[in-house]
Every structure is written in structure tokens, then in C-alpha cells.
Amino acid sequence: MSKLAPLPPAPVLMICFGHCGIGLGAESYRRLLLDVGADPLKPTLNSKDESRVLKRYGSTILRFSPSYGDGDIPLIPRALLVDLDPRAANLILQSYPDLFALRDQHVIHGAGGAARNWAEGKTRFLEEMKTKVDIKKQLSAISPEPVRGYVVPFAMGGGTGSSFSSAFIEYIKTNTKEHATIATFGLMPEFGWDPVIFEAAAINIVMNLEYQIKYSDCSILVSNKALRKLAHQHDKKLQKIPSIIDDLPKEHEVGWKDYKGMNLIAANTISMFISSFARETEWDMSNYRTWLATKKPKFAIPWIMPVSPSESQWGKDMLTSTKNNTMEDVLNKLGKKEDALLFDIDENDIRNNGSSRDSCCVLVKVKGEFDIKEREAIKRIIKDKFNIEESRMIFVKIPIMDGEQASIAVLVNTKAIGPKILEIAKEAEEAWDGYKDEYGRWGLSTEEFKQGLMDVVHQFS
């Protein structure tokens, strides 16, 4: 393949908002690089691997640079890191200088915080986009071609990530001519653990859900309560897996290291999602938009198996690694309880609050044909856990690279998440009078909040 070959068209961009979104996005890129046999600290591929990886991976997320010295082709992430606090983005840039080589193209930041106020963050983001940043130019810098889709990870309870993501997806859907698919990965906080103010966070979450209902095509919810429990449960294994956190300077670890295991688990899910349309599959990112278009609620929650994959064995022990990429290996992991739902909901919630119209999309990355016997085995497991009918299951087979570990991610659309969301909506409604003046100063009226609350309650009832 010639070094002068054109970049592949119709890319997908990851736009990471806030401290949480940036940590998740960076960890997800690290996972994607490992999966194709590249070193995140020196993200290059030898020429002999270039055509094979490009064919299999599609390079919609990562782009191959045509001019990077002799023999090595770097994988440049199509990512934009956005935060009001410059420290979060700068730490990632400093730790991965070769990965984010085009520094100015990969980051937007302002100064100060959004005070955990969704309205303030949204207003400030829109103002800065008009006065300080040409967002259209910024996006064109990392993607000269029309964008096929955006993957947007963020925390839903705070100020910056929650509100910036809302403003951004509204901008894309109302101010651009692109027919891009937007996929959001919103993390629900664990009250009492995460540094969020309970009442204000409930209001922020309601408004963020409202904007996802309006502007996101594929809305995926993950909860920090579930991630924290899993990170503790699998701590020994997760501590052995290198993370982007390990490469941060020691003096900057505070605020990041406590989320290492949680980020690794979430990044595993995000990378599986990206692989479902970035490799040679019959599934396009826009299919997610079609799949969720008639669903209610318009939200999915991920079930991942195994919880966290082993590190890539590229160039180390290929024989061992290739033994871990079959359906048999996945089923063994399930037998050892190395699977988990990444949302704060248990089987009783699912059984009592599910619906006959619940559905799921099953992303399967295993070696082999994924034959009828294997498919039936997964169907039985899903039906037993979620009571979803076979006709409402979609299976997407993802090509697996030689050094990867087999894994499955199930995106479940179920009404069983409704009670959890409605509890937060009730708290937001009760708290509004105490916060309406503070939010009103930044443009969120009582009428707009009440409308958002009604839409969320209607969506999840």
C-alpha cells in the first residue's frame, strides 16, 4: 500500500468532554491501539502490518499518516478533548505526546469551572464557541472529510462534561449540514462517592437526558456505582493491566488514579462499540440510529463479558493469546462470573420492570464463524437474564485480530432502567425551587426545566 494513499473517507470522531470524558476517551484510544498491535506511547505500525490492519480496522477512528519517516506508520487519533480546566487535557497530551502529536488540533479549553451548574456550562460553551474558538474549523482540522459520526463520553452529574456535551450535540444536529450519527456514553454518578452535589446533580442529569432524547441517536448509560463495585471486585486483575493513568507524572495522579479500574472497564465497552462499525462488518454506525429510533426509552445499557480483557499479547506470546479468542473462552469467562452489567440495576429490577418489547444488540468479537450452536448459547443466556425474545436480538460479528482476546458486549434497551431514572427526576423536581435563581441567571428558565422534566418522565415511564 502506498504511503501516499488517501485517507479513508467518512471518519468517526471522539469528542471527550470534562475530566471524566477525557479520561475515558484517552483510555479507549489506548485500548483501540492495543487491539491492532500498536504501542500507545509510540503509536506506530510496521509497514508489513499496515495493509492488514487498515483492511480489518477500516481506519474510521484512527488515521494513517502518509509521511512519518521510514517504515513506521503512526495511528493518529481523531479526537477532541474539551474542558474548562486545561489541566485534564494537558496531562493526557503530555503523557502521550506522540499519540496526540497535533496538539493544538486535539484540545479546547477555557478557564475555571462550571460550578456544577448545567446552565452555566452550556452558556459558557456556546459563548466560547462564538468568541474564542471556531468549532467548525477545529473539527475540520482533525477531519477534513465529512464526519460520519461522533462518539461522546462524559459525566452526567457535573457541570462541564454534562453541559458541554449537551451544547455540542445540539450544535451538530442544528448548525451543521452533516448527517452524522451521534452516540453518547453518559456516566451516572454514585452519590456519596463522586464529588457532585445531590440536588444540583439531579437537575443536571434531567437536562442532560432531555438533550440526549432530542439530539443523540444512540444513548448509552453507564453508572459509576456499578463500575466502582466491579473495579473493587476485579481489583487484582485490573491493577496488573497498564493504564493511561500509569503514564501520568506522579505529582498529577491525584484525581485520576482512583478511577483507573473503572475507566479500564468502561473503555473496554467503548472500544467494543467502536469496533462494531469501524471494522469489516455489515453494521454501520447509522444502524444504531435506526435501531433506537422507535425504542422507548431511547437509551441502552451495556453488559460486557469479560469485564476487562487481558493486555494484548502482540509480539510477546502469540500462541497463548490466540487461545483466548474463541467463543469457548467467552463462555468459560461467563462461568467464572467474569461478566457484568455496567449500570446500577440487578436481576430483580430487570424481571420486575422489563417489557415485552425490550431488545438488545449483541456485539461479538470472537475467532471463527460464530456458528448456530454458539449463537444459540448466547441467546439462551440473554433470554435467561433479560427475558428478551430472540426476534428482538441483533447480532453483529466483529473481525478479531490475531492478538486480541475474545469479548462480547450486549447493548440492552430495557424499560427496567426507568425506576432509577425516575427517582432522580423526582429529586430534581423537588430541588428546583431552591436552585431556579442560580440556574436562571445562566439562561435556564423554569418553563424549560419543567418541559425537560416532562420529556424525561414520559420517556422512562
Side-chain angles (χ1 to χ4, degrees):
M1 181 175 178
S2 170
K3 282 188 179 182
L4 299 178
L7 297 176
V12 173
L13 305 187
M14 183 178 285
I15 314 294
C16 311
F17 290 100
H19 189 278
C20 171
I22 289 171
L24 280 179
E27 199 74 78
S28 299
Y29 266 113
R30 185 182 182 283
R31 180 81 254 162
L32 290 165
L33 286 165
L34 288 170
D35 284 348
V36 297
D39 180 353
L41 290 175
K42 186 175 171 49
T44 61
L45 289 172
N46 292 325
S47 295
K48 64 180 181 180
D49 293 321
E50 179 190 354
S51 60
R52 180 168 64 96
V53 172
L54 180 59
K55 179 183 177 183
R56 275 288 180 89
Y57 206 72
S59 193
T60 56
I61 302 297
L62 309 172
R63 108 169 89 180
F64 287 77
S65 171
S67 57
Y68 187 77
D70 297 326
D72 285 332
I73 308 296
L75 292 160
I76 307 298
R78 294 176 181 251
L80 186 61
L81 316 177
V82 186
D83 200 356
L84 282 174
D85 185 343
R87 290 174 297 178
N90 284 343
L91 283 178
I92 301 302
L93 294 171
Q94 291 165 8
S95 299
Y96 283 61
D98 289 335
L99 179 58
F100 294 98
L102 307 175
R103 184 186 180 97
D104 292 339
Q105 295 182 17
H106 290 301
V107 64
I108 296 175
H109 56 67
R116 307 290 173 185
N117 184 321
W118 181 91
E120 178 180 348
K122 180 173 180 289
T123 299
R124 290 184 61 180
F125 178 81
L126 293 173
E127 288 178 350
E128 292 199 11
M129 293 306 97
K130 292 177 182 177
T131 60
K132 296 182 180 180
V133 179
D134 185 340
I135 186 67
K136 184 180 292 187
K137 183 178 180 181
Q138 192 89 26
L139 293 173
S140 295
I142 56 177
S143 176
E145 314 89 351
V147 179
R148 181 171 66 169
Y150 296 90
V151 178
V152 186
F154 57 91
M156 295 181 66
T160 303
S162 173
S163 53
F164 277 27
S165 60
S166 296
F168 177 79
I169 63 178
E170 179 186 23
Y171 168 81
I172 293 299
K173 288 297 186 182
T174 59
N175 293 286
T176 65
K177 296 181 180 179
E178 297 171 353
H179 298 289
T181 301
I182 293 177
T184 51
F185 280 83
L187 266 74
M188 305 286 284
E190 181 178 6
F191 299 113
W193 279 90
D194 296 318
V196 295
I197 302 166
F198 182 40
E199 296 87 353
I203 294 171
N204 296 344
I205 290 169
V206 164
M207 293 310 302
N208 198 278
L209 289 169
E210 161 75 344
Y211 271 64
Q212 290 178 79
I213 292 168
K214 285 183 176 179
Y215 303 113
S216 175
D217 300 301
C218 182
S219 305
I220 298 171
L221 297 181
V222 179
S223 68
N224 265 357
K225 185 174 182 179
L227 290 177
R228 187 172 279 108
K229 180 180 178 181
L230 290 167
H232 179 74
Q233 181 180 341
H234 298 273
D235 180 63
K236 289 184 178 179
K237 178 182 179 182
L238 291 167
Q239 288 304 320
K240 293 178 182 179
I241 299 177
S243 158
I244 194 169
I245 306 301
D246 301 327
D247 299 315
L248 296 177
K250 291 293 183 183
E251 63 270 22
H252 298 313
E253 284 187 349
V254 176
W256 292 88
K257 63 181 179 180
D258 291 340
Y259 291 93
K260 171 183 172 177
M262 299 165 68
N263 283 352
L264 283 170
I265 295 169
N268 180 30
T269 305
I270 295 173
S271 66
M272 275 290 288
F273 172 82
I274 290 171
S275 294
S276 70
F277 53 79
R279 303 195 185 186
E280 284 179 333
T281 71
E282 296 179 320
W283 191 254
D284 187 84
M285 189 174 181
S286 61
N287 289 135
Y288 284 111
R289 180 172 58 207
T290 304
W291 172 58
L292 284 174
T294 59
K295 304 296 181 183
K296 210 177 220 188
K298 187 185 170 181
F299 292 83
I301 53 176
W303 175 28
I304 190 77
M305 54 188 98
V307 171
S308 180
S310 301
E311 279 295 273
S312 174
Q313 299 295 314
W314 287 76
K316 296 178 182 178
D317 189 356
M318 188 68 74
L319 181 61
T320 299
S321 66
T322 54
K323 289 182 179 179
N324 294 327
N325 59 12
T326 64
M327 178 57 72
E328 182 181 0
D329 185 64
V330 172
L331 294 176
N332 287 337
K333 293 288 193 300
L334 278 168
K336 296 177 181 178
K337 305 297 183 184
E338 293 187 30
D339 70 295
L341 198 64
L342 305 188
F343 192 79
D344 178 26
I345 188 172
D346 59 32
E347 292 188 13
N348 288 330
D349 293 327
I350 294 168
R351 289 292 179 183
N352 295 332
N353 298 303
S355 164
S356 61
R357 298 187 68 82
D358 287 355
S359 62
C360 67
C361 180
V362 189
L363 313 179
V364 181
K365 190 197 290 183
V366 295
K367 188 174 183 179
E369 295 299 321
F370 188 50
D371 60 25
I372 293 175
K373 183 179 178 181
E374 294 171 336
R375 186 179 295 245
E376 291 301 319
I378 297 299
K379 284 182 179 179
R380 286 193 298 272
I381 293 168
I382 294 172
K383 192 167 185 178
D384 180 62
K385 190 176 184 70
F386 291 102
N387 201 27
I388 295 174
E389 294 300 322
E390 291 185 14
S391 61
R392 298 187 182 277
M393 300 178 191
I394 298 171
F395 286 83
V396 181
K397 175 68 163 58
I398 303 169
I400 188 169
M401 306 297 284
D402 290 340
E404 286 185 81
Q405 182 175 320
S407 56
I408 293 177
V410 186
L411 300 177
V412 185
N413 184 281
T414 173
K415 283 199 170 185
I417 64 176
K420 298 286 183 183
I421 303 299
L422 294 176
E423 287 177 13
I424 295 173
K426 181 179 179 182
E427 179 59 39
E429 182 178 24
E430 294 174 350
W432 175 252
D433 285 345
Y435 286 85
K436 63 182 180 181
D437 291 339
E438 181 181 347
Y439 280 72
R441 282 197 295 271
W442 291 97
L444 180 61
S445 67
T446 295
E447 291 74 18
E448 186 179 355
F449 168 73
K450 293 292 186 182
Q451 184 61 55
L453 182 68
M454 288 175 59
D455 290 344
V456 170
V457 170
H458 180 67
Q459 185 76 200
F460 287 93
S461 293

